[in-house]
């Protein structure tokens, strides 16, 4: 069932999405070698609770943490752990909140210091592909137009692996609503979008092959070939001429730019 939101509901969803953006901005300020993803989990949970919201991933289908912290070959759903982050790591932080009954759910991949030019390009192109997908989130387009745009930019143009097993999704009073938003597909196919459909669009793009597997912990998704993977996610609202992006990378990027341990040289 596809649920469209009222303007008042969109305003509340904007607040939820922005709380995630603000949380990821706090992460961008503190990330440095030596910090652990469990430290980040704690910081995110405290920040969200201070803002009268609930971390939504905790206990979602039994998920045992507040955030997903996916480092290097981990595609998504990585458990925060006690391993110190180090120079050369790439780390996706994915956070969900419930604020006044509405979900925000978005993610950003940070680069810790020095990485190879090919990893830098993977991060750049994955972020670009998210915006190419978002450009298609306008009324009378179909979900397949979003999917195709992401796949074109990453797989066809750069030969990256587009993960098939995990997809973007509708967002609202539930974390996962219809429709599913794959990062691969055919133009002109799938659900025809109307105004005020809210979507979480989230390309998961591998430097190598598209194949992934789930760890023995039942959650952590890794690349089969052990090569790195990048994940970006925005919450967007379908509009007539241009999608409204409810989340905001500009505040995350401003913090990233001033953090000497983070590499933002690709944008
Ligand atoms: N952004 C992810 C998603 O939409 C996060 C869910 S992780 C879980 O599927 F822990 F909540 F399952
Ligand atoms: Co999501």
């Amino acid at each position: 069932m596809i649920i469209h939101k009222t303007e008042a509901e969109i305003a509340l969803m904007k607040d939820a999405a922005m709380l995630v953006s603000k949380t990821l901005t706090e992460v961008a300020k503190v990330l440095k070698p030596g910090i652990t993803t469990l430290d980040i989990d704690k910081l995110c949970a405290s920040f969200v609770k201070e803002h009268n919201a609930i971390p939504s991933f905790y206990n979602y289908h039994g998920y045992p943490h507040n955030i997903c912290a996916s480092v290097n070959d981990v595609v998504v759903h990585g458990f925060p752990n006690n391993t110190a982050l180090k120079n050369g790591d790439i780390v996706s932080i994915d956070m969900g909140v419930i604020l006044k009954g509405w979900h925000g759910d978005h993610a950003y991949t940070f680069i810790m210091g020095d990485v190879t030019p090919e990893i830098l390009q993977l991060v750049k192109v994955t972020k670009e592909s998210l915006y190419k997908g978002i450009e298609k989130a306008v009324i009378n387009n179909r979900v397949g137009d979003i999917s195709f745009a992401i796949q074109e930019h990453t797989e066809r143009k750069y030969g990256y692996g587009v993960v098939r097993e995990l997809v973007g999704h509708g967002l609202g009073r539930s974390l996962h609503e219809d429709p599913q938003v794959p990062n691969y597909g055919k133009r002109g196919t799938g659900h025809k979008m109307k105004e005020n459909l809210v979507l979480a669009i989230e390309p998961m793009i591998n430097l190598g092959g598209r194949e992934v597997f789930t760890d023995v912990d039942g959650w952590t998704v890794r690349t089969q070939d052990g090569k790195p993977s990048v994940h970006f996610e925005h919450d967007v609202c379908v509009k007539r001429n241009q999608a409204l992006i409810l989340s905001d990378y500009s505040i995350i990027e401003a913090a990233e730019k001033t953090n000497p341990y983070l590499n933002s040289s690709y944008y």
Side-chain angles (χ1 to χ4, degrees), residues 94 105 167 169 175-176 200 202 233:
D94 189 355
D105 167 29
V167 295
H169 50 94
L175 176 57
H176 294 130
E202 48 181 319
E233 179 176 20

Side-chain angles (χ1 to χ4, degrees), residues 53-73:
I54 301 165
S56 62
F57 294 174
Y58 186 76
N59 219 17
Y60 182 82
H61 294 280
Y63 187 76
H65 295 281
N66 298 292
I67 63 169
C68 300
S70 305
V71 181
N72 299 333
D73 66 313

